[in-house]
Amino acid sequence: MFVIIFGPPGAGKGTQAARIVQAHPIPQVATGDIFRKNLREGTALGIEAKGYMEAGKLVPDELVSKIVADRLQQDDCVAGALLDGFPRSLPQACFLDAWLAERGMAIGLVVHLVVPDSVIVERMGGRRTCTNCGATYHVSVSPTKVQGICDRCGSQVIQRPDDNEATVLTRLATYHEQTSPIVEHYRALGVVADVEGVGSIDRIGDHVIEAITKAFPV
Ligand code: AP5
Ligand code: MG
C-alpha cells in the first residue's frame, strides 16, 4: 500500500499523515522531516539541504530520490509507505514509479489536499513545530496544551525558519511551477483522490480515510 499525501505547503499533509498512520500500519516517509532531522544532527545532508529549504527551493532531485529509495528499502516499508513531501517534481515522480515498478509495485493512491493560496499564508504564520519529534500545531486551530511545549514528547515547539511570509510565498511559487504538475501525471494513471483541504481537521481526516478505504478495500 503505497500512498502519497499531496498538496501545497501548509495543505495539512503532515497533520493528516499523523492520522493515517494511526489507522493503517505503514510508516510515514516525510522528506522535509528527514532533512530537518539531519539539520538538527548537523550531518552533511542537513547542511546541504539547509540553503534550499530556507530559500523555499527544492533540494536537487537526485539527492532526494536517493534518500527516499534508501528509506523505502528498510524493513518497515515492505508492506508500503505513506509518502509526505515526495515526489515533488516530475523527475522525482518518474523515479519513484520506476523504482516501485522494478519491484512489482506501484502507487495505489494520491490523496490531493486542495487548499487555496490565500488560506496557506494564514496557516503558516500560526504553525508551530516540535524541535524534537516534528509534531505540528497551530496557535489557534490546534494549540499545544502547555504553551511552547510539545504534547507528544515535552520538547520545545518553534516556528519553522521557512514559515516566514516571504519564504512561504516562494514555496508556493515553487509548488505551482514544479510540484503541482504531478497531480495530472497521477490523474492519468487513475489514482488521484481530490480532498477539500479547508474545514475542520477531523472532517478532512474522515474524507482522507474514506478515500484510502475506497482505494484499498479490505
Ligand atoms: P516540507 O517539510 O515537506 O514542507 P511543505 O511541503 O512545504 O509542507 P509543510 O510541511 O509546510 O505543510 P504540510 O502540508 O505538512 O502542513 P501541516 O500539516 O504542517 O518541505 C520543506 C522543504 O524541504 C521544502 O521547501 C524543500 O526545500 C525541502 N524538500 C522536502 N521534500 C523535498 C523533495 N521531495 N524534493 C525537494 N525538496 C524537498 O499544516 C500546516 C499548518 O496548518 C499547521 O499549523 C496545522 O496545524 C494547520 N492545519 C492543518 N490542517 C488544518 C485545517 N484543516 N484547518 C486549519 N489549520 C490546519
Ligand atoms: Mg509537513
Side-chain angles (χ1 to χ4, degrees), residues 10 12-15 28 30 33 36 84 127 136 160:
K13 301 184 293 294
T15 302
Q28 176 190 3
D33 291 350
R36 279 184 289 277
D84 164 3
R127 173 164 59 182
T136 298
R160 262 171 46 178

Side-chain angles (χ1 to χ4, degrees), residues 10-12 16 112-116 119 123 195-200 203-204:
Q16 296 301 335
H112 175 212
L113 294 172
V114 181
V115 182
V119 174
R123 276 193 193 174
V195 174
E196 167 73 63
V198 182
S200 92
R203 199 177 55 85
I204 296 164

Side-chain angles (χ1 to χ4, degrees), residues 6 88-90 93 174-187:
F6 188 86
R88 225 178 176 99
S89 66
L90 279 173
T174 303
Y175 172 79
H176 290 300
E177 224 169 83
Q178 290 173 267
T179 308
S180 63
I182 291 177
V183 177
E184 296 319 315
H185 167 81
Y186 284 111
R187 208 183 292 286

